[in-house]
Amino acid sequence: MVAPRSLPGPLGVARVGPAVPPLPAVDHGRLESLAVRWAQLSHDGDPRAAAHFATLLRRLASTVHAEPFWPLAARSVGAELVTTGMCRDRAGPDDGVEDVIVPCLRLLRRDAPAALGLDGRDGERRLAAVLDELVAGAVGAYRDGMRPVAAPAGGRAPGVTERHIRAVYEQAAVGIAILALDGRVLDLNPALTGMFGLDGPLDQPRPVSDFVHPDDMVDVVERLQRLVRGEPEVVRMELRLVRVDSRVMWVHVTASRVLGEDGGPSHLMVVVEDVSERHRLWSRLHEASFSDQLTRLPNEAVADQWLERAFAGDGPAHVGICALDLDGFHPIGDELGQQVGDRLLLGVAGRLQMAAGDHVVCRTGADEFAVLVADPAGAPEVARLADRLQAALATPFHIDTHTLVVSASIGVAEASTEHASAAELLRAADVARAWAKALGGGRRVVFDPERDAAEADRFALLSGLRGGIERNEFRLAYQPLVRLADGRVRGAEALVRWQHPEQGLVGPNRFIELAEHSGAIVPLGRWVLEAACTQAAAWWRELGDDAPFVSVNVSPVQLAEPAWVDEVTGVLAATGLPPHLLQLEITEQAVLGDEVVVLDALGALRAAGVRIALDDFGTGYSSLAWLRRLPVHGLKIDGSFIDGLRCPSADPTDTSIVRALVELAHALGLEVTAEWVETAVQAQRLAELGCDVGQGRWFGDAGPGEWVPGLSRRSIGH
């Protein structure tokens, strides 16, 4: 073959104009975005540079989609990166191009397929060939720019004789060979003789196979034969030649026919330029773009390509992955220095390779690694590998005078290459790793699709919460609070529901916790308070002094808001609801945060006439002294204690607990409400135990606010 990074194609110089017509397969939005990111690597995001890079990307797109495919056309793009100054100058002769080209290669390998409309193995093959030629063009232009450039000749000067031509042949800095049409090497100029390490001129013609590397021989013969037939006028190629000391050198060859007096070809003239140094630099760039510079492990680009090939259809039937994130690595580097951190990473990489055996270990981030498994026997085998990786890291690392202990959060995933994709497997491993990290690290977690679906559902609800409030998607239902002595409605608790546009009616148990964690509970609680007070004011205007109060649950997050008390009094004033007809339900947990602030807020509301109730009483850890300090009007006994009273033979323990709670509350002058009252037996026993108010299905499920006045006019549960 010609060169490992060059694909066979038409010979000749590619002509690529400055403007390229749009291609239907190219995603122009992604192409422009990629151009901006490319400019940021080389020109700090200069808009003019971004426009130039967009033009270069279109030229690459034209090259990669061209038929017949001719990747060498991309060399002009690589050369332009250097000749037009698009790669910033650096200090060292090699570091300048390497520092810019390596990140460019990584960026293009990752994002160019989507921007240029490439998919499948053929697209991957074409992009790899085009990027290889781009690098060759950049490296060649960079090296050429470091050599003095002779003034171009304007043609053969008057008076040039054969003696002058012979002098050029013998004194040229490049190698020149004269070949017979059958491929025998007839003569070498002194420069080429020196390249091969020969002591002097050839003593007799020698076959070209004596000089060409065996792996390139077939292609060389085929191209020279085409040249003799006149199919191309000139052949250009890169190949390997072998010196007399068996060392291999990379050369760039330009071969052309020499015509005889009869007008037919008589010889071949081959101009040879030693590009071994350029190729070594190219190899370093190629290696740097595919391997981690510190650990020398394959990098993230290799992991992505490995997975893409595995899922391409002719790879393994199943693929597994262990995605590792070192726990607490960054503080080590911050406290002990980068050198210690780097040595720790080297130690981690070595242990992971030992534990992984034949599996592929990649470094995918600053403190992240991945182990790729081909054809595992299910997720349990990948999980056992993760356990071995954890065990390998368990022994402390000794670096200088430091003893360092490191663990990893490992996400384990396994998938069928027929029914999944590389992106899905990577996402599964990342999700499982996040679960492991959330549990405190130092463990492995296997991806669970059911848990993931549930969390995705939670995320969908979370993302729509604030918008749902603005779109007025929430509803209130009211459950009666009934006096056990006579069955009259004492009040009604406002229960929030979400009329989700896609999931239908969603209960509070699915979104209240999400709202609290995200902070959306503040605007949601404000809406509930306003809607409930507006409805209760309507009851009061209809029923007067017989109107029931409305009870609204208050989140601890709301209680911590500095302006919350003002919001409550403002809503009462705006709706015209008398303060004593509003009851706010809080939990013991709401007071455990900033106790002083919460007690002041509750005291201010009680002083304003608002009722305060302590919800879920009996499940917390409060003492009697603490309870005496709370400015509350009543307690709501948690339903778990009431449930034991539903059977004819009541649970004696629950009976004793309820009796004690009722007596305690009455001793403090508080009204007692029992939740989860679902049977007549429960209602009767609670009345006998002295409980004041009952709430539950026995008295009716929650309903619209318009029902409450009708319920207030009759006895319920009797």
Side-chain angles (χ1 to χ4, degrees):
M1 56 185 176
V2 178
R5 52 190 171 82
S6 299
L7 297 177
L11 296 169
V13 179
R15 296 183 195 154
V16 183
V20 178
L23 295 166
V26 173
D27 186 324
H28 297 284
R30 289 184 174 179
L31 186 144
E32 297 292 341
S33 175
L34 177 57
V36 171
R37 295 197 298 277
W38 196 358
Q40 288 172 344
L41 287 178
S42 301
H43 278 67
D44 299 325
D46 185 346
R48 293 170 297 178
H52 200 156
F53 279 117
T55 300
L56 295 184
L57 284 172
R58 293 188 183 96
R59 289 167 58 183
L60 289 179
S62 178
T63 301
V64 83
H65 286 283
E67 294 296 346
F69 179 50
W70 179 226
L72 266 68
R75 289 198 178 189
S76 63
V77 176
E80 188 166 334
L81 290 174
V82 176
T83 58
T84 61
M86 299 190 74
C87 291
R88 293 177 302 197
D89 293 335
R90 304 293 178 128
D94 289 347
D95 294 341
V97 68
E98 185 170 346
D99 287 351
V100 175
I101 294 297
V102 168
C104 289
L105 279 178
R106 290 173 179 165
L107 175 70
L108 294 175
R109 284 198 181 98
R110 185 183 69 238
D111 295 344
L116 304 186
L118 301 173
D119 55 15
R121 296 295 293 274
D122 183 62
E124 177 185 324
R125 178 182 68 87
R126 288 189 172 216
L127 179 63
V130 165
L131 292 183
D132 284 350
E133 298 305 335
L134 181 147
V135 171
V139 172
Y142 185 77
R143 287 300 182 192
D144 292 344
M146 296 178 64
R147 292 196 293 263
V149 180
R156 183 169 176 175
V160 173
T161 66
E162 295 301 324
R163 181 173 59 84
H164 292 122
I165 296 175
R166 186 67 187 179
V168 171
Y169 177 78
E170 292 179 350
Q171 298 174 21
V174 296
I176 303 175
I178 304 299
L179 275 64
L181 297 180
D182 61 4
R184 290 176 300 135
V185 180
L186 303 178
D187 190 35
L188 306 175
N189 76 336
L192 190 52
T193 300
M195 287 185 194
F196 281 119
L198 295 169
D199 294 332
L202 296 178
D203 53 1
Q204 61 181 359
R206 294 172 62 179
V208 71
S209 58
D210 286 0
F211 302 96
V212 177
H213 192 283
D215 289 347
D216 295 342
M217 192 62 219
V218 173
D219 193 74
V220 168
V221 170
E222 188 271 334
R223 293 198 179 210
L224 291 181
Q225 289 175 345
R226 289 174 55 198
L227 178 64
V228 170
R229 294 194 299 268
E231 293 177 2
E233 293 295 329
V234 178
V235 168
R236 293 179 176 85
M237 51 186 164
E238 279 194 9
L239 65 148
R240 289 163 290 183
L241 299 180
V242 182
R243 291 167 43 92
V244 294
D245 58 5
S246 299
R247 285 193 298 167
V248 175
M249 59 179 173
W250 279 93
V251 296
H252 180 75
V253 169
T254 303
S256 57
R257 294 182 300 164
V258 177
L259 302 181
E261 294 181 357
D262 60 355
S266 62
H267 298 84
L268 299 178
M269 184 175 71
V270 180
V271 178
V272 180
E273 179 188 6
D274 187 350
V275 294
S276 298
E277 183 182 0
R278 178 191 303 176
H279 194 272
R280 281 192 294 271
L281 177 57
W282 179 90
S283 298
R284 288 202 341 253
L285 293 172
H286 191 270
E287 178 187 359
S289 65
F290 280 106
S291 66
D292 175 58
Q293 296 303 288
L294 174 65
T295 64
R296 296 300 174 184
L297 291 175
N299 62 14
E300 186 177 17
V302 175
D304 291 342
Q305 288 190 8
W306 190 96
L307 288 171
E308 290 295 338
R309 288 170 179 160
F311 283 88
D314 53 355
H318 289 80
V319 173
I321 182 172
C322 296
L324 294 86
D325 187 351
L326 299 182
D327 302 321
F329 170 75
H330 291 294
I332 293 176
D334 293 341
E335 295 175 10
L336 303 180
Q338 181 179 349
Q339 184 177 8
V340 173
D342 288 348
R343 290 177 61 185
L344 176 60
L345 286 172
L346 285 169
V348 168
R351 291 195 189 179
L352 293 179
Q353 286 180 293
M354 291 290 292
D358 295 334
H359 303 304
V360 180
V361 181
C362 302
R363 186 183 179 196
T364 55
D367 59 348
E368 296 177 359
F369 297 83
V371 181
L372 309 173
V373 184
D375 274 327
E381 179 181 337
V382 188
R384 287 191 293 271
L385 170 61
D387 292 337
R388 293 200 303 272
L389 300 175
Q390 285 282 20
L393 300 178
T395 304
F397 292 82
H398 299 284
I399 300 175
D400 294 335
T401 59
H402 308 290
T403 299
L404 305 176
V405 179
V406 67
S407 63
S409 300
I410 306 180
V412 176
E414 183 267 350
S416 163
T417 55
E418 181 180 358
H419 300 105
S421 68
E424 290 171 342
L425 181 66
L426 283 172
R427 178 191 171 278
D430 287 341
V431 168
R433 177 171 57 186
W435 292 344
K437 203 78 171 176
L439 292 172
R443 68 192 69 206
R444 55 92 173 157
V445 174
V446 179
F447 177 74
D448 180 0
E450 293 185 1
R451 175 181 175 183
D452 182 55
E455 293 197 355
D457 179 63
R458 284 167 55 88
F459 179 78
L461 289 175
L462 177 60
S463 61
L465 260 173
R466 293 186 182 271
I469 299 170
E470 296 171 358
R471 293 187 296 269
N472 198 31
E473 293 174 357
F474 289 88
R475 307 286 183 268
L476 289 182
Y478 299 87
Q479 188 170 39
L481 302 169
V482 178
R483 274 198 300 256
L484 294 174
D486 57 10
R488 307 295 294 182
V489 173
R490 180 83 173 85
E493 181 176 355
L495 304 174
V496 64
R497 306 284 189 265
W498 186 359
Q499 189 63 51
H500 197 278
E502 297 175 358
Q503 302 188 33
L505 194 64
V506 179
N509 59 314
R510 291 183 56 195
F511 64 82
I512 288 297
E513 183 180 356
L514 295 176
E516 289 180 334
H517 290 165
S518 66
I521 193 67
V522 174
L524 178 59
R526 186 181 303 117
W527 178 87
V528 170
L529 180 65
E530 292 174 353
C533 289
T534 299
Q535 181 63 75
W539 299 337
W540 176 66
R541 285 191 293 271
E542 180 178 347
L543 302 175
D545 294 339
D546 294 331
F549 62 79
V550 66
S551 191
V552 177
N553 289 281
V554 179
S555 165
V557 180
Q558 291 174 269
L559 279 173
E561 286 289 304
W564 182 67
V565 173
D566 293 336
E567 285 185 3
V568 174
T569 55
V571 168
L572 290 173
T575 59
L577 180 67
H580 71 278
L581 293 181
L582 171 64
Q583 175 172 281
L584 300 176
E585 297 187 17
I586 64 170
T587 63
E588 295 179 39
Q589 295 298 321
V591 191
L592 295 180
D594 194 336
E595 183 178 330
V596 174
V597 172
V598 172
L599 290 178
D600 288 346
L602 295 179
L605 289 170
R606 174 165 181 148
V610 177
R611 294 174 51 86
I612 308 293
L614 188 60
D615 198 10
D616 299 330
F617 187 74
T619 59
Y621 305 96
S622 57
S623 65
L624 181 59
W626 180 86
L627 181 60
R628 288 184 62 188
R629 297 168 52 202
L630 285 178
V632 297
H633 294 80
L635 305 177
K636 296 186 74 173
I637 301 176
D638 187 72
S640 59
F641 301 114
I642 310 303
D643 191 59
L645 307 181
R646 66 166 56 241
C647 301
S649 55
D651 185 297
T653 301
D654 285 343
T655 301
S656 299
I657 291 174
V658 172
R659 178 184 292 110
L661 292 177
V662 170
E663 292 176 354
L664 171 63
H666 286 169
L668 296 173
L670 305 178
E671 183 179 75
V672 181
T673 300
E675 299 178 304
W676 296 11
V677 182
E678 298 184 346
T679 67
V681 174
Q682 285 175 306
Q684 181 180 351
R685 287 207 172 108
L686 287 168
E688 294 171 353
L689 292 172
C691 188
D692 303 299
V693 177
Q695 177 182 1
R697 289 188 175 180
W698 175 247
F699 306 107
D701 290 328
E706 293 77 12
W707 291 2
V708 174
L711 297 176
S712 298
R713 295 186 176 96
R714 59 188 178 85
S715 178
I716 301 178
H718 281 256

